[in-house]
């Protein structure tokens, strides 16, 4: 766990230095577009909710309307948040995949020639990975929800945060795991064996998107870059290599 935090700190420094040099800034554009749409939805939803609460002063009826509006808003907010996560992890996966590859080249000197077929395969694999990750996340969350009914709220919220962070973190690391030759099952094996890394990276993403407006715009880019840097550090790769090394999960350092 200590080494995981050290690698993340080093990764954050590497990401910061690259961005301060003006590198990879255009990758924020897709996130800006998606984030702007999401922010607009939130703004409109809050306006509707405010209108519903305008009747709060009306006895009984006003309270009932406000309570119903809060419930509906919470449901739609959850749906919107999950849809945003889906868009970031699936629809923007080609962009995130290219970013991860470019940042890998920047850090290690590895050269990756553009290959449309490989990019398409990466996209299809990412869909499979994300769908399986989201499915497993919801299964775990559903199981834990049953236990959360009889435990304090702060414990339940913490566990929910950790479960969501793990699967989000894993999804971002998979860009690198695929690039270095880990198949579907070995990627999952590495994800669970390096759980602390998945939790920290996913936790950073989850916390960043809670920052009003700017968080949902910058979180995908920063997390894709951070997971790439940490993956390299985690495997103790040298900073300059002419070609990528295909590694099996069993050969990864603990």
């Amino acid at each position: 766990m200590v080494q995981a935090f050290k690698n993340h700190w080093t990764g954050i420094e590497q990401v910061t230095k690259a961005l301060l040099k003006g590198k990879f800034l255009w990758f924020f554009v897709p996130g800006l577009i998606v984030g702007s749409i999401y922010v607009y939805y939130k703004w409109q939803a809050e306006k509707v909710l405010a209108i519903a609460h305008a009747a709060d002063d009306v006895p009984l009826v006003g309270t009932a309307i406000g309570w119903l509006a809060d419930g509906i808003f919470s449901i739609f907010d959850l749906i919107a948040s999950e849809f945003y996560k889906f868009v970031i992890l699936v629809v923007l996966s080609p962009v995130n995949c290219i970013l991860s590859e470019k940042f890998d080249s920047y850090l290690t000197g590895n050269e990756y020639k553009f290959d449309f077929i490989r990019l398409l395969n990466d996209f299809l694999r990412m869909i499979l990975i994300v769908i399986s990750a989201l499915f497993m996340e919801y299964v775990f969350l559903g199981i834990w929800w049953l236990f959360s009914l009889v435990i304090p709220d702060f414990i339940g919220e913490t566990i929910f945060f950790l479960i969501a962070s793990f699967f989000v973190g894993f999804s971002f690391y998979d860009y690198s795991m695929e690039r270095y030759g880990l198949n579907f099952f070995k990627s999952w094996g590495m994800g669970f064996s390096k759980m602390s890394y998945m939790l920290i990276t996913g936790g950073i993403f989850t916390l960043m998107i809670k920052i009003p407006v700017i968080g949902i715009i910058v979180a995908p880019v920063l997390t894709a870059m951070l997971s790439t840097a940490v993956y390299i550090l985690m495997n103790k790769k040298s900073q300059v290599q002419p070609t990528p090394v295909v590694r099996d999960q069993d050969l990864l350092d603990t």
Side-chain angles (χ1 to χ4, degrees), residues 179-203:
R179 188 164 58 253
Y180 285 94
L182 275 69
N183 63 31
F184 178 85
F185 296 103
K186 289 179 179 178
S187 291
W188 277 110
M190 179 181 177
F192 284 108
S193 67
K194 299 289 186 179
M195 186 174 294
S196 59
Y197 286 86
M198 310 297 129
L199 288 172
I200 296 172
T201 302

Side-chain angles (χ1 to χ4, degrees), residues 11-219:
I12 291 172
E13 291 179 336
Q14 292 175 335
V15 172
T16 302
K17 290 178 181 178
L19 293 176
L20 289 177
K21 292 179 180 179
K23 304 291 185 180
F24 313 107
L25 296 182
W26 77 268
F27 285 98
F28 286 101
V29 174
L32 177 62
I33 296 173
V34 174
S36 298
I37 295 173
Y38 182 74
V39 169
Y40 178 77
Y41 156 78
K42 294 278 288 186
W43 177 54
Q44 291 296 323
E46 289 174 0
K47 286 175 61 177
V48 173
L49 186 62
I51 293 173
H53 277 287
D56 283 351
D57 293 335
V58 180
L60 296 179
V61 175
T63 302
I65 292 176
W67 178 82
L68 181 62
D70 286 338
I72 295 175
F73 179 79
S74 297
I75 294 173
F76 275 95
D77 189 50
L78 176 61
I79 293 174
S81 298
E82 292 303 313
F83 182 72
Y84 168 75
K85 184 192 299 184
F86 177 83
V87 169
I88 291 300
L89 297 179
V90 177
V91 178
L92 295 186
S93 64
V95 177
N96 294 333
C97 184
I98 293 173
L99 170 59
S100 178
E101 186 176 285
K102 294 293 184 182
F103 194 47
D104 186 314
S105 296
Y106 176 81
L107 294 174
T108 66
N110 293 341
E111 294 294 334
Y112 300 96
K113 295 182 179 180
F114 178 79
D115 186 336
F116 179 77
I117 299 300
R118 183 171 64 84
L119 182 63
L120 180 61
N121 288 334
D122 291 348
F123 179 62
L124 295 176
R125 170 196 164 101
M126 195 62 214
I127 291 177
L128 179 61
I129 286 287
V130 171
I131 290 177
S132 63
L134 290 177
F135 174 77
M136 293 177 66
E137 176 185 344
Y138 296 146
V139 169
F140 277 98
L141 288 176
I143 294 173
W144 181 252
W145 178 79
L146 297 176
F147 290 98
S148 68
L149 297 176
V150 294
I151 63 173
D153 289 342
F154 76 93
I155 296 179
E157 292 173 357
T158 300
I159 298 299
F160 271 77
F161 173 81
L162 293 175
I163 292 174
S165 295
F166 171 81
F167 288 106
V168 169
F170 171 79
S171 297
F172 276 100
Y173 275 104
D174 189 63
Y175 298 125
S176 296
M177 290 190 280
E178 189 281 333
R179 188 164 58 253
Y180 285 94
L182 275 69
N183 63 31
F184 178 85
F185 296 103
K186 289 179 179 178
S187 291
W188 277 110
M190 179 181 177
F192 284 108
S193 67
K194 299 289 186 179
M195 186 174 294
S196 59
Y197 286 86
M198 310 297 129
L199 288 172
I200 296 172
T201 302
I204 291 173
F205 174 85
T206 304
L207 291 175
M208 278 196 294
I209 63 175
K210 294 183 180 298
I211 301 174
V213 184
I214 191 66
I216 60 175
I217 296 174
V218 303

